[in-house]
């Protein structure tokens, strides 16, 4: 619901369906929780979080728009 609300108000990208983004965020969160126990390294966490947040950014075009036709 929160992803849908963000997409509706323009703060979250609409390049992917809201359900897919929600699942991706859940998977990222669960992965971070596991890594926090086995490899608590800041660079590793930042490398996971950065692309997750980039996928939500409404100012970044979807990858398919960046590819040449």
């Amino acid at each position: 619901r929160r992803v849908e609300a963000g997409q509706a108000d323009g703060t979250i990208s609409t390049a992917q369906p809201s359900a897919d983004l929600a699942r991706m965020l859940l998977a990222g969160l669960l992965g971070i929780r596991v890594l926090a126990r086995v490899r608590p390294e800041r660079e590793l966490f930042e490398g996971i979080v950065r692309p997750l947040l980039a996928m939500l950014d409404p100012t970044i075009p979807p990858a398919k728009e960046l590819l040449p036709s």
Side-chain angles (χ1 to χ4, degrees):
R1 291 187 221 164
R2 297 294 90 211
V3 174
E4 287 176 355
Q7 286 180 322
D9 72 15
T11 58
I12 293 179
S13 173
T14 57
Q16 300 294 326
S18 61
D20 289 354
L21 289 175
R23 285 192 222 39
M24 179 205 54
L25 289 170
L26 177 60
L29 176 62
L30 294 175
I32 287 169
R33 289 184 62 179
V34 169
L35 286 173
R37 293 174 186 247
V38 297
R39 285 184 62 193
E41 301 167 16
R42 184 181 183 101
E43 277 186 50
L44 184 59
F45 295 140
E46 289 176 354
I48 294 168
V49 171
R50 193 176 315 109
L52 284 174
L53 294 179
M55 288 189 71
L56 300 176
D57 189 342
T59 64
I60 298 175
K64 62 185 173 195
E65 291 180 14
L66 298 175
L67 297 174
S69 302

Short mmCIF file of all heavy atoms in Angstrom, two decimals:
data_model
loop_
_atom_site.label_atom_id
_atom_site.label_comp_id
_atom_site.label_asym_id
_atom_site.label_seq_id
_atom_site.Cartn_x
_atom_site.Cartn_y
_atom_site.Cartn_z
N ARG A 1 0.81 -1.21 0.00
CA ARG A 1 0.00 0.00 0.00
C ARG A 1 0.85 1.26 0.00
O ARG A 1 0.49 2.24 -0.62
CB ARG A 1 -0.90 0.01 1.23
CG ARG A 1 -1.98 -1.03 1.17
CD ARG A 1 -2.92 -0.85 2.31
NE ARG A 1 -3.26 -2.15 2.84
CZ ARG A 1 -3.81 -2.33 4.00
NH1 ARG A 1 -4.02 -1.33 4.79
NH2 ARG A 1 -4.10 -3.53 4.41
N ARG A 2 1.96 1.24 0.73
CA ARG A 2 2.80 2.43 0.79
C ARG A 2 3.47 2.70 -0.55
O ARG A 2 3.64 3.85 -0.94
CB ARG A 2 3.87 2.30 1.89
CG ARG A 2 3.33 2.18 3.30
CD ARG A 2 2.62 3.42 3.81
NE ARG A 2 1.21 3.38 3.49
CZ ARG A 2 0.44 4.45 3.24
NH1 ARG A 2 0.92 5.65 3.28
NH2 ARG A 2 -0.82 4.33 2.95
N VAL A 3 3.87 1.65 -1.24
CA VAL A 3 4.49 1.84 -2.55
C VAL A 3 3.43 2.41 -3.51
O VAL A 3 3.72 3.35 -4.27
CB VAL A 3 5.09 0.53 -3.10
CG1 VAL A 3 5.59 0.71 -4.52
CG2 VAL A 3 6.23 0.05 -2.21
N GLU A 4 2.24 1.88 -3.47
CA GLU A 4 1.17 2.41 -4.32
C GLU A 4 0.91 3.89 -4.03
O GLU A 4 0.74 4.69 -4.94
CB GLU A 4 -0.13 1.62 -4.10
CG GLU A 4 -0.11 0.25 -4.70
CD GLU A 4 -1.38 -0.54 -4.38
OE1 GLU A 4 -2.24 -0.05 -3.61
OE2 GLU A 4 -1.51 -1.65 -4.90
N ALA A 5 0.89 4.24 -2.75
CA ALA A 5 0.66 5.64 -2.37
C ALA A 5 1.79 6.52 -2.89
O ALA A 5 1.55 7.62 -3.39
CB ALA A 5 0.54 5.76 -0.85
N GLY A 6 3.03 6.05 -2.78
CA GLY A 6 4.17 6.80 -3.29
C GLY A 6 4.13 6.95 -4.79
O GLY A 6 4.47 8.01 -5.34
N GLN A 7 3.71 5.92 -5.48
CA GLN A 7 3.57 6.02 -6.93
C GLN A 7 2.46 7.00 -7.30
O GLN A 7 2.60 7.77 -8.24
CB GLN A 7 3.30 4.64 -7.55
CG GLN A 7 4.52 3.76 -7.57
CD GLN A 7 4.27 2.40 -8.17
OE1 GLN A 7 3.22 1.80 -7.98
NE2 GLN A 7 5.24 1.90 -8.91
N ALA A 8 1.39 6.98 -6.53
CA ALA A 8 0.26 7.88 -6.81
C ALA A 8 0.64 9.34 -6.61
O ALA A 8 0.22 10.22 -7.37
CB ALA A 8 -0.94 7.53 -5.93
N ASP A 9 1.48 9.62 -5.59
CA ASP A 9 1.85 11.03 -5.35
C ASP A 9 3.13 11.44 -6.05
O ASP A 9 3.61 12.56 -5.92
CB ASP A 9 1.90 11.34 -3.85
CG ASP A 9 3.08 10.73 -3.12
OD1 ASP A 9 4.04 10.28 -3.75
OD2 ASP A 9 3.04 10.70 -1.87
N GLY A 10 3.74 10.50 -6.81
CA GLY A 10 4.91 10.84 -7.62
C GLY A 10 6.24 10.75 -6.92
O GLY A 10 7.26 11.10 -7.49
N THR A 11 6.27 10.27 -5.68
CA THR A 11 7.55 10.18 -4.96
C THR A 11 8.26 8.85 -5.20
O THR A 11 9.43 8.71 -4.84
CB THR A 11 7.36 10.39 -3.44
OG1 THR A 11 6.43 9.41 -2.96
CG2 THR A 11 6.86 11.79 -3.14
N ILE A 12 7.56 7.88 -5.80
CA ILE A 12 8.16 6.59 -6.13
C ILE A 12 7.93 6.32 -7.61
O ILE A 12 6.85 6.59 -8.15
CB ILE A 12 7.55 5.45 -5.27
CG1 ILE A 12 7.95 5.64 -3.80
CG2 ILE A 12 8.01 4.08 -5.75
CD1 ILE A 12 7.38 4.58 -2.87
N SER A 13 8.92 5.78 -8.26
CA SER A 13 8.86 5.49 -9.68
C SER A 13 7.69 4.57 -10.03
O SER A 13 7.35 3.67 -9.26
CB SER A 13 10.17 4.80 -10.10
OG SER A 13 10.09 4.35 -11.42
N THR A 14 7.14 4.79 -11.20
CA THR A 14 6.08 3.92 -11.71
C THR A 14 6.62 3.00 -12.81
O THR A 14 5.84 2.36 -13.51
CB THR A 14 4.91 4.76 -12.27
OG1 THR A 14 5.41 5.64 -13.28
CG2 THR A 14 4.22 5.54 -11.18
N ALA A 15 7.94 2.92 -12.94
CA ALA A 15 8.55 2.10 -13.98
C ALA A 15 8.31 0.61 -13.75
O ALA A 15 8.37 -0.17 -14.69
CB ALA A 15 10.06 2.37 -14.06
N GLN A 16 8.07 0.23 -12.52
CA GLN A 16 7.79 -1.17 -12.16
C GLN A 16 6.47 -1.22 -11.41
O GLN A 16 6.11 -0.27 -10.71
CB GLN A 16 8.90 -1.73 -11.27
CG GLN A 16 10.28 -1.71 -11.87
CD GLN A 16 10.40 -2.65 -13.06
OE1 GLN A 16 9.77 -3.70 -13.10
NE2 GLN A 16 11.18 -2.25 -14.05
N PRO A 17 5.76 -2.33 -11.48
CA PRO A 17 4.53 -2.46 -10.72
C PRO A 17 4.80 -2.36 -9.21
O PRO A 17 5.84 -2.78 -8.72
CB PRO A 17 4.02 -3.87 -11.07
CG PRO A 17 4.72 -4.24 -12.34
CD PRO A 17 6.03 -3.50 -12.32
N SER A 18 3.85 -1.79 -8.49
CA SER A 18 4.03 -1.58 -7.05
C SER A 18 4.29 -2.89 -6.31
O SER A 18 5.11 -2.93 -5.39
CB SER A 18 2.83 -0.85 -6.45
OG SER A 18 1.65 -1.62 -6.62
N ALA A 19 3.63 -3.96 -6.71
CA ALA A 19 3.83 -5.24 -6.04
C ALA A 19 5.27 -5.73 -6.21
O ALA A 19 5.87 -6.27 -5.28
CB ALA A 19 2.85 -6.28 -6.57
N ASP A 20 5.82 -5.54 -7.40
CA ASP A 20 7.21 -5.94 -7.64
C ASP A 20 8.18 -5.12 -6.79
O ASP A 20 9.14 -5.66 -6.22
CB ASP A 20 7.58 -5.79 -9.12
CG ASP A 20 6.90 -6.82 -10.01
OD1 ASP A 20 6.22 -7.73 -9.47
OD2 ASP A 20 7.03 -6.70 -11.23
N LEU A 21 7.94 -3.82 -6.72
CA LEU A 21 8.82 -2.97 -5.89
C LEU A 21 8.71 -3.35 -4.43
O LEU A 21 9.73 -3.38 -3.72
CB LEU A 21 8.46 -1.50 -6.09
CG LEU A 21 8.82 -0.90 -7.44
CD1 LEU A 21 8.30 0.54 -7.54
CD2 LEU A 21 10.31 -0.95 -7.69
N ALA A 22 7.52 -3.63 -3.96
CA ALA A 22 7.34 -4.02 -2.56
C ALA A 22 8.08 -5.32 -2.26
O ALA A 22 8.75 -5.45 -1.23
CB ALA A 22 5.85 -4.17 -2.24
N ARG A 23 8.00 -6.29 -3.18
CA ARG A 23 8.72 -7.55 -2.98
C ARG A 23 10.22 -7.33 -2.97
O ARG A 23 10.96 -7.95 -2.20
CB ARG A 23 8.35 -8.55 -4.08
CG ARG A 23 6.99 -9.17 -3.93
CD ARG A 23 6.87 -10.33 -4.89
NE ARG A 23 5.75 -10.64 -5.66
CZ ARG A 23 4.87 -9.89 -6.32
NH1 ARG A 23 4.94 -8.63 -6.31
NH2 ARG A 23 3.90 -10.36 -7.01
N MET A 24 10.69 -6.46 -3.88
CA MET A 24 12.12 -6.17 -3.94
C MET A 24 12.60 -5.55 -2.63
O MET A 24 13.66 -5.90 -2.11
CB MET A 24 12.42 -5.24 -5.11
CG MET A 24 13.88 -4.88 -5.22
SD MET A 24 14.19 -3.32 -6.06
CE MET A 24 13.19 -2.18 -5.16
N LEU A 25 11.81 -4.62 -2.10
CA LEU A 25 12.19 -3.98 -0.84
C LEU A 25 12.21 -5.00 0.31
O LEU A 25 13.11 -4.97 1.15
CB LEU A 25 11.24 -2.84 -0.52
CG LEU A 25 11.38 -1.61 -1.41
CD1 LEU A 25 10.23 -0.65 -1.15
CD2 LEU A 25 12.71 -0.94 -1.17
N LEU A 26 11.23 -5.88 0.33
CA LEU A 26 11.21 -6.92 1.36
C LEU A 26 12.42 -7.83 1.25
O LEU A 26 13.08 -8.12 2.24
CB LEU A 26 9.92 -7.73 1.27
CG LEU A 26 9.80 -8.90 2.24
CD1 LEU A 26 9.85 -8.41 3.68
CD2 LEU A 26 8.52 -9.67 1.98
N ALA A 27 12.73 -8.25 0.02
CA ALA A 27 13.90 -9.12 -0.18
C ALA A 27 15.19 -8.41 0.24
O ALA A 27 16.06 -9.01 0.88
CB ALA A 27 13.99 -9.54 -1.65
N GLY A 28 15.30 -7.12 -0.10
CA GLY A 28 16.48 -6.36 0.30
C GLY A 28 16.59 -6.24 1.81
O GLY A 28 17.67 -6.42 2.38
N LEU A 29 15.48 -5.98 2.46
CA LEU A 29 15.48 -5.86 3.92
C LEU A 29 15.87 -7.18 4.58
O LEU A 29 16.70 -7.21 5.50
CB LEU A 29 14.11 -5.41 4.42
CG LEU A 29 13.94 -5.34 5.92
CD1 LEU A 29 14.90 -4.32 6.52
CD2 LEU A 29 12.51 -4.99 6.28
N LEU A 30 15.29 -8.28 4.10
CA LEU A 30 15.63 -9.58 4.67
C LEU A 30 17.10 -9.92 4.43
O LEU A 30 17.78 -10.44 5.32
CB LEU A 30 14.72 -10.66 4.10
CG LEU A 30 13.25 -10.53 4.47
CD1 LEU A 30 12.42 -11.57 3.74
CD2 LEU A 30 13.05 -10.61 5.96
N GLY A 31 17.58 -9.61 3.24
CA GLY A 31 18.99 -9.85 2.95
C GLY A 31 19.92 -9.04 3.84
O GLY A 31 20.94 -9.53 4.33
N ILE A 32 19.55 -7.79 4.07
CA ILE A 32 20.36 -6.93 4.94
C ILE A 32 20.38 -7.48 6.37
O ILE A 32 21.42 -7.47 7.03
CB ILE A 32 19.84 -5.48 4.89
CG1 ILE A 32 20.20 -4.87 3.55
CG2 ILE A 32 20.38 -4.66 6.05
CD1 ILE A 32 19.53 -3.54 3.27
N ARG A 33 19.25 -7.96 6.82
CA ARG A 33 19.19 -8.52 8.18
C ARG A 33 20.12 -9.72 8.31
O ARG A 33 20.80 -9.88 9.32
CB ARG A 33 17.76 -8.90 8.53
CG ARG A 33 16.89 -7.68 8.75
CD ARG A 33 15.52 -8.06 9.19
NE ARG A 33 15.61 -8.75 10.47
CZ ARG A 33 14.57 -9.20 11.14
NH1 ARG A 33 13.36 -9.03 10.67
NH2 ARG A 33 14.73 -9.80 12.30
N VAL A 34 20.15 -10.57 7.30
CA VAL A 34 21.03 -11.74 7.33
C VAL A 34 22.49 -11.29 7.30
O VAL A 34 23.31 -11.74 8.10
CB VAL A 34 20.73 -12.70 6.15
CG1 VAL A 34 21.80 -13.77 6.03
CG2 VAL A 34 19.35 -13.33 6.32
N LEU A 35 22.80 -10.38 6.37
CA LEU A 35 24.19 -9.92 6.26
C LEU A 35 24.66 -9.19 7.51
O LEU A 35 25.85 -9.24 7.84
CB LEU A 35 24.34 -9.02 5.03
CG LEU A 35 24.32 -9.75 3.70
CD1 LEU A 35 24.30 -8.76 2.55
CD2 LEU A 35 25.52 -10.67 3.59
N ALA A 36 23.76 -8.51 8.19
CA ALA A 36 24.15 -7.81 9.42
C ALA A 36 24.69 -8.80 10.46
O ALA A 36 25.54 -8.44 11.27
CB ALA A 36 22.95 -7.06 9.99
N ARG A 37 24.23 -10.02 10.39
CA ARG A 37 24.70 -11.03 11.34
C ARG A 37 25.99 -11.71 10.88
O ARG A 37 26.85 -12.02 11.70
CB ARG A 37 23.63 -12.10 11.55
CG ARG A 37 22.42 -11.57 12.25
CD ARG A 37 21.34 -12.63 12.29
NE ARG A 37 20.12 -12.08 12.84
CZ ARG A 37 19.60 -12.44 14.00
NH1 ARG A 37 20.19 -13.36 14.73
NH2 ARG A 37 18.49 -11.88 14.43
N VAL A 38 26.11 -11.96 9.58
CA VAL A 38 27.25 -12.75 9.11
C VAL A 38 28.39 -11.91 8.55
O VAL A 38 29.55 -12.33 8.62
CB VAL A 38 26.82 -13.82 8.08
CG1 VAL A 38 25.90 -14.82 8.71
CG2 VAL A 38 26.19 -13.21 6.85
N ARG A 39 28.08 -10.75 7.95
CA ARG A 39 29.13 -9.87 7.39
C ARG A 39 28.75 -8.41 7.60
O ARG A 39 28.35 -7.73 6.65
CB ARG A 39 29.31 -10.14 5.89
CG ARG A 39 30.06 -11.42 5.61
CD ARG A 39 30.32 -11.63 4.15
NE ARG A 39 31.15 -10.58 3.57
CZ ARG A 39 31.31 -10.41 2.28
NH1 ARG A 39 30.69 -11.21 1.42
NH2 ARG A 39 32.06 -9.45 1.82
N PRO A 40 28.85 -7.92 8.80
CA PRO A 40 28.45 -6.53 9.07
C PRO A 40 29.45 -5.50 8.53
O PRO A 40 30.25 -4.93 9.27
CB PRO A 40 28.37 -6.48 10.59
CG PRO A 40 29.30 -7.54 11.06
CD PRO A 40 29.29 -8.60 10.00
N GLU A 41 29.42 -5.31 7.21
CA GLU A 41 30.35 -4.39 6.56
C GLU A 41 29.57 -3.26 5.91
O GLU A 41 28.69 -3.49 5.08
CB GLU A 41 31.15 -5.14 5.50
CG GLU A 41 31.95 -6.30 6.06
CD GLU A 41 32.50 -7.22 4.99
OE1 GLU A 41 32.53 -6.81 3.81
OE2 GLU A 41 32.89 -8.34 5.34
N ARG A 42 29.90 -2.04 6.25
CA ARG A 42 29.18 -0.87 5.76
C ARG A 42 29.14 -0.80 4.23
O ARG A 42 28.10 -0.52 3.64
CB ARG A 42 29.80 0.40 6.34
CG ARG A 42 29.06 1.65 5.94
CD ARG A 42 29.73 2.89 6.52
NE ARG A 42 28.95 4.04 6.18
CZ ARG A 42 28.11 4.66 6.99
NH1 ARG A 42 27.96 4.24 8.21
NH2 ARG A 42 27.42 5.71 6.59
N GLU A 43 30.27 -1.05 3.58
CA GLU A 43 30.33 -0.99 2.11
C GLU A 43 29.36 -1.99 1.48
O GLU A 43 28.72 -1.68 0.48
CB GLU A 43 31.74 -1.28 1.61
CG GLU A 43 32.65 -0.08 1.63
CD GLU A 43 33.98 -0.39 0.98
OE1 GLU A 43 33.98 -0.94 -0.14
OE2 GLU A 43 35.00 -0.11 1.60
N LEU A 44 29.26 -3.16 2.06
CA LEU A 44 28.35 -4.18 1.55
C LEU A 44 26.90 -3.70 1.66
O LEU A 44 26.13 -3.81 0.71
CB LEU A 44 28.55 -5.48 2.33
CG LEU A 44 27.76 -6.69 1.88
CD1 LEU A 44 28.06 -7.05 0.44
CD2 LEU A 44 28.06 -7.86 2.80
N PHE A 45 26.54 -3.15 2.82
CA PHE A 45 25.18 -2.64 3.02
C PHE A 45 24.86 -1.51 2.05
O PHE A 45 23.79 -1.47 1.45
CB PHE A 45 24.97 -2.15 4.45
CG PHE A 45 25.07 -3.24 5.48
CD1 PHE A 45 25.71 -3.00 6.67
CD2 PHE A 45 24.52 -4.49 5.26
CE1 PHE A 45 25.81 -3.99 7.64
CE2 PHE A 45 24.62 -5.49 6.22
CZ PHE A 45 25.26 -5.24 7.41
N GLU A 46 25.79 -0.59 1.91
CA GLU A 46 25.56 0.54 1.01
C GLU A 46 25.41 0.07 -0.43
O GLU A 46 24.62 0.62 -1.19
CB GLU A 46 26.69 1.56 1.14
CG GLU A 46 26.65 2.31 2.44
CD GLU A 46 27.81 3.27 2.64
OE1 GLU A 46 28.74 3.28 1.81
OE2 GLU A 46 27.78 4.00 3.64
N GLY A 47 26.16 -0.96 -0.81
CA GLY A 47 26.06 -1.51 -2.15
C GLY A 47 24.73 -2.20 -2.41
O GLY A 47 24.33 -2.36 -3.55
N ILE A 48 24.06 -2.61 -1.37
CA ILE A 48 22.73 -3.21 -1.50
C ILE A 48 21.66 -2.13 -1.49
O ILE A 48 20.75 -2.13 -2.31
CB ILE A 48 22.48 -4.22 -0.36
CG1 ILE A 48 23.43 -5.40 -0.50
CG2 ILE A 48 21.02 -4.67 -0.35
CD1 ILE A 48 23.46 -6.30 0.71
N VAL A 49 21.79 -1.19 -0.58
CA VAL A 49 20.76 -0.16 -0.41
C VAL A 49 20.74 0.83 -1.58
O VAL A 49 19.66 1.22 -2.03
CB VAL A 49 20.96 0.58 0.93
CG1 VAL A 49 20.05 1.78 1.04
CG2 VAL A 49 20.73 -0.38 2.09
N ARG A 50 21.89 1.21 -2.08
CA ARG A 50 21.96 2.20 -3.16
C ARG A 50 21.10 1.82 -4.37
O ARG A 50 20.24 2.60 -4.80
CB ARG A 50 23.42 2.45 -3.55
CG ARG A 50 23.64 3.65 -4.41
CD ARG A 50 25.13 3.90 -4.71
NE ARG A 50 25.98 3.79 -3.54
CZ ARG A 50 26.86 2.79 -3.32
NH1 ARG A 50 27.02 1.83 -4.20
NH2 ARG A 50 27.59 2.76 -2.24
N PRO A 51 21.27 0.61 -4.94
CA PRO A 51 20.43 0.27 -6.09
C PRO A 51 18.95 0.07 -5.72
O PRO A 51 18.07 0.33 -6.54
CB PRO A 51 21.04 -1.01 -6.64
CG PRO A 51 22.00 -1.49 -5.63
CD PRO A 51 22.32 -0.35 -4.72
N LEU A 52 18.70 -0.39 -4.50
CA LEU A 52 17.30 -0.52 -4.08
C LEU A 52 16.61 0.83 -4.09
O LEU A 52 15.50 0.98 -4.61
CB LEU A 52 17.21 -1.12 -2.67
CG LEU A 52 17.45 -2.62 -2.53
CD1 LEU A 52 17.48 -3.01 -1.06
CD2 LEU A 52 16.40 -3.40 -3.26
N LEU A 53 17.26 1.82 -3.53
CA LEU A 53 16.67 3.15 -3.49
C LEU A 53 16.60 3.78 -4.88
O LEU A 53 15.66 4.49 -5.20
CB LEU A 53 17.44 4.05 -2.53
CG LEU A 53 17.37 3.65 -1.06
CD1 LEU A 53 18.21 4.59 -0.20
CD2 LEU A 53 15.95 3.59 -0.56
N ALA A 54 17.59 3.48 -5.72
CA ALA A 54 17.59 4.03 -7.08
C ALA A 54 16.38 3.51 -7.87
O ALA A 54 15.82 4.25 -8.68
CB ALA A 54 18.89 3.68 -7.80
N MET A 55 15.98 2.29 -7.62
CA MET A 55 14.81 1.75 -8.33
C MET A 55 13.52 2.47 -7.95
O MET A 55 12.56 2.43 -8.69
CB MET A 55 14.67 0.25 -8.07
CG MET A 55 15.74 -0.56 -8.77
SD MET A 55 15.43 -2.32 -8.67
CE MET A 55 14.03 -2.47 -9.75
N LEU A 56 13.52 3.11 -6.80
CA LEU A 56 12.33 3.85 -6.36
C LEU A 56 12.32 5.28 -6.88
O LEU A 56 11.27 5.92 -6.91
CB LEU A 56 12.28 3.88 -4.83
CG LEU A 56 12.20 2.53 -4.13
CD1 LEU A 56 12.24 2.74 -2.62
CD2 LEU A 56 10.98 1.76 -4.53
N ASP A 57 13.47 5.79 -7.28
CA ASP A 57 13.61 7.19 -7.67
C ASP A 57 12.82 7.50 -8.94
O ASP A 57 13.11 6.96 -10.00
CB ASP A 57 15.09 7.52 -7.88
CG ASP A 57 15.36 8.99 -8.07
OD1 ASP A 57 14.43 9.75 -8.39
OD2 ASP A 57 16.53 9.38 -7.90
N PRO A 58 11.82 8.38 -8.85
CA PRO A 58 11.01 8.68 -10.04
C PRO A 58 11.73 9.50 -11.10
O PRO A 58 11.26 9.62 -12.22
CB PRO A 58 9.82 9.45 -9.46
CG PRO A 58 10.34 10.08 -8.22
CD PRO A 58 11.37 9.11 -7.68
N THR A 59 12.90 10.07 -10.77
CA THR A 59 13.63 10.89 -11.74
C THR A 59 14.55 10.06 -12.63
O THR A 59 15.09 10.57 -13.60
CB THR A 59 14.44 11.98 -11.04
OG1 THR A 59 15.45 11.37 -10.23
CG2 THR A 59 13.56 12.86 -10.18
N ILE A 60 14.76 8.79 -12.28
CA ILE A 60 15.63 7.92 -13.07
C ILE A 60 14.75 7.12 -14.03
O ILE A 60 13.85 6.41 -13.60
CB ILE A 60 16.44 6.97 -12.16
CG1 ILE A 60 17.35 7.77 -11.24
CG2 ILE A 60 17.24 5.98 -13.00
CD1 ILE A 60 18.10 6.94 -10.22
N PRO A 61 15.01 7.23 -15.34
CA PRO A 61 14.18 6.49 -16.31
C PRO A 61 14.41 4.99 -16.19
O PRO A 61 15.49 4.57 -15.79
CB PRO A 61 14.64 7.01 -17.66
CG PRO A 61 15.98 7.58 -17.43
CD PRO A 61 16.05 8.01 -15.98
N PRO A 62 13.43 4.18 -16.54
CA PRO A 62 13.61 2.72 -16.53
C PRO A 62 14.74 2.33 -17.47
O PRO A 62 14.99 3.00 -18.48
CB PRO A 62 12.28 2.18 -17.04
CG PRO A 62 11.32 3.30 -16.99
CD PRO A 62 12.11 4.58 -16.98
N ALA A 63 15.42 1.24 -17.17
CA ALA A 63 16.57 0.79 -17.98
C ALA A 63 16.19 0.60 -19.44
O ALA A 63 16.97 0.91 -20.33
CB ALA A 63 17.13 -0.50 -17.41
N LYS A 64 14.98 0.11 -19.71
CA LYS A 64 14.59 -0.13 -21.10
C LYS A 64 14.55 1.17 -21.91
O LYS A 64 14.73 1.16 -23.11
CB LYS A 64 13.25 -0.84 -21.18
CG LYS A 64 12.10 -0.08 -20.59
CD LYS A 64 10.83 -0.91 -20.59
CE LYS A 64 9.75 -0.18 -19.83
NZ LYS A 64 8.65 -1.00 -19.48
N GLU A 65 14.35 2.32 -21.25
CA GLU A 65 14.36 3.60 -21.95
C GLU A 65 15.77 4.08 -22.23
O GLU A 65 15.99 4.94 -23.06
CB GLU A 65 13.61 4.65 -21.12
CG GLU A 65 12.12 4.40 -21.05
CD GLU A 65 11.40 5.45 -20.23
OE1 GLU A 65 11.99 6.51 -19.95
OE2 GLU A 65 10.25 5.21 -19.87
N LEU A 66 16.75 3.54 -21.52
CA LEU A 66 18.14 3.95 -21.70
C LEU A 66 18.83 3.16 -22.82
O LEU A 66 19.85 3.58 -23.33
CB LEU A 66 18.92 3.76 -20.39
CG LEU A 66 18.42 4.59 -19.20
CD1 LEU A 66 19.21 4.21 -17.96
CD2 LEU A 66 18.55 6.07 -19.48
N LEU A 67 18.26 2.02 -23.18
CA LEU A 67 18.87 1.16 -24.21
C LEU A 67 18.57 1.72 -25.59
O LEU A 67 17.46 2.19 -25.85
CB LEU A 67 18.34 -0.26 -24.08
CG LEU A 67 18.66 -0.98 -22.77
CD1 LEU A 67 17.95 -2.33 -22.72
CD2 LEU A 67 20.14 -1.17 -22.60
N PRO A 68 19.54 1.63 -26.51
CA PRO A 68 19.29 2.09 -27.88
C PRO A 68 18.26 1.19 -28.55
O PRO A 68 18.18 0.00 -28.30
CB PRO A 68 20.65 1.99 -28.56
CG PRO A 68 21.50 1.17 -27.68
CD PRO A 68 20.88 1.14 -26.30
N SER A 69 17.48 1.78 -29.44
CA SER A 69 16.43 1.01 -30.15
C SER A 69 16.98 0.26 -31.32
O SER A 69 17.86 0.60 -31.99
CB SER A 69 15.35 1.94 -30.66
OG SER A 69 14.80 2.66 -29.58
#
